[in-house]
Amino acid sequence: MRHVTSRLGITRAVVVNSARTVVATVVSMLLARLLKLPEFYWAPISAIVVLLSTVEPLTVAWQRFAGTALGAALGALIAIYFQPTWIVYGAGIFVCGILCALLRIESAYRFAAITLSIVLAHRPYSIALDCGHAPLCGSVAGNRGSAGGNSGVACAAS
């Protein structure tokens, strides 16, 4: 295998990073399915975001978790108390940004806005909880899969 990989220009770091990503995404998907999460596919997506980020994996996991929790909570509140209109949606995205700044988690704003968008697009109130659990599984699995930190391989930016 060493001969084939060197001939193709693939380093050991690339192979290790790819294997680590496979383990983390599969473990997170299986964990989400074991927990019977209806939106299980968010778990491996979260693992990929955490693992393949050029930022420290623990930092991205925290951003993902905090942003998802904030977006799900705010989205559920908006869904309960307001009718779905573009003005309400826009105001929700704006409030997400303000809350992230007030809570000193500005870097979690993108995750909060994405989760709020999903919650408001689906409208069933239970999705606010579902959106919070699967990314948590992926963030944890992604962070565990990169216990040694990022391998230094520049992968897709999140």
Side-chain angles (χ1 to χ4, degrees), residues 55-71:
V55 179
E56 172 64 33
L58 187 57
T59 301
V60 177
W62 166 246
Q63 292 170 358
R64 175 84 177 177
F65 179 73
T68 300
L70 178 71

Side-chain angles (χ1 to χ4, degrees), residues 93-105:
I93 296 294
F94 182 78
V95 170
C96 265
I98 299 300
L99 286 175
C100 284
L102 288 172
L103 296 171
R104 307 285 189 259
I105 54 170

